[in-house]
Amino acid sequence: MNIPFNNGWLFTKDFDSGFDDAVIVRLPHTACEIPYNYIDCTDYQMVCGYRKRFFAPEEWSGLRLLLRFDGAAHLAEVFCNGVKAGQHACGYTAFTVDITEQVKFGAENTIDVRLDTRESLNIPPFGFVIDYLCYGGLYREVSLEVRKCGYIEEILLENTDLHEVRLRIKSGGSSVITNIIAENGSIVASGCGRDVTISVPDSRLWTPDSPVLYTARVTACEGDIVIDEKSLRFGFRTARFENDGFYLNGEKLKLRGLNRHQSYPYVGYAMPASMQELDADILKRELGVTPLGPRTIHSRSTS
């Protein structure tokens, strides 16, 4: 079960001073709204804070509670009921914090995020050498995932040949089953195990002009009981660089690209996925950039 956790956050520009003067915000959120021109990068560098309260029903006891952050710039410390549950140092990668041990079931709980948005030599891409602004904030969505013990923690999927994929799965349960599903919903291949290679000899290849996608549905079981299930969309393809250029599915492909930043006027990074997808459409259809992945910018597994 995934629960959106975007509404009803309190925000303060000074975490150490507390939340007495905090304002209510909705995620995605930028730590500081700045003018369109004449920007001073120190304006958005601070140690700010976010707080959210939620009720954990008694029936969740015995399950795992995970907070997933899709983007927190740049050094995030996550507390649950005053106890530090996790930390993440990079504003450009998603992360998950397990808060199960700190949660009080049948009661209200408090999540605090101490977010350091200052430039540091220890956190990429800083180092006082970059030529763009690195806005701070919980600038992507947050969700609460309620999982059974033995849930699927991670799936790594890679193309090993034109019609073959390898999956490495971190999961509990006594057995793990993967089904490859075509766009019409039919199962075209299956495999068992946490490290499995699956071939689909007659699969349709992914290309920029024909972006055919399949779904890898991974199911973790304990006997006949399903513990967890996650799905990943992917395309059958191979990609490699040679001395004379780039090859997709064994055929040479000319790449056209550009340098694109995710920031917007006034709100910095804090724009929803729909705007990122719109940018991707503009890059492809108006500017002629070569697309080498699925249209959706925020690719993640779904339960």
Side-chain angles (χ1 to χ4, degrees), residues 2-135:
N2 286 356
I3 302 172
F5 242 44
N6 299 315
N7 294 329
W9 287 84
L10 295 177
F11 171 74
T12 176
K13 289 189 175 182
D14 187 353
F15 179 86
D16 295 330
S17 295
F19 289 83
D20 291 341
D21 299 324
V23 296
I24 299 176
V25 301
R26 185 184 189 280
L27 307 183
H29 179 259
T30 186
C32 181
E33 294 185 14
I34 58 176
Y36 189 77
N37 296 309
Y38 305 109
I39 299 169
D40 186 341
C41 64
T42 60
D43 290 343
Y44 57 80
Q45 295 190 28
M46 64 191 77
V47 181
C48 58
Y50 292 84
R51 169 172 289 177
K52 182 174 176 62
R53 294 184 175 91
F54 73 100
F55 181 82
E58 198 70 55
E59 54 263 32
W60 287 358
S61 180
L63 302 177
R64 306 303 297 181
L65 271 62
L66 312 169
L67 272 179
R68 178 183 170 91
F69 295 81
D70 285 342
H74 292 276
L75 173 60
E77 297 177 84
V78 181
F79 301 83
C80 180
N81 296 323
V83 179
K84 186 173 179 178
Q87 176 175 309
H88 184 73
C90 179
Y92 303 101
T93 53
F95 64 98
T96 300
V97 176
D98 191 330
I99 59 173
T100 309
E101 302 304 321
Q102 293 79 36
V103 167
K104 299 175 182 178
F105 297 98
E108 186 176 68
N109 297 267
T110 300
I111 299 296
D112 288 333
V113 181
R114 182 184 187 272
L115 194 62
D116 191 341
T117 70
R118 297 172 297 183
E119 184 167 341
S120 167
L121 287 172
N122 300 319
I123 303 175
F126 294 132
F128 305 100
V129 295
I130 55 177
D131 61 350
Y132 55 91
L133 301 175
C134 295
Y135 305 91

Side-chain angles (χ1 to χ4, degrees), residues 262-302:
Q262 63 177 345
S263 56
Y264 290 78
Y266 307 111
V267 297
Y269 294 158
M271 292 295 278
S274 59
M275 293 303 297
Q276 312 299 333
E277 292 172 0
L278 178 61
D279 263 10
D281 286 341
I282 293 172
L283 291 172
K284 177 181 177 180
R285 294 182 171 85
E286 296 185 22
L287 301 180
V289 168
T290 307
L292 289 178
R295 175 180 177 274
T296 303
I297 297 298
H298 296 274
S299 59
R300 55 181 293 188
S301 59
T302 57

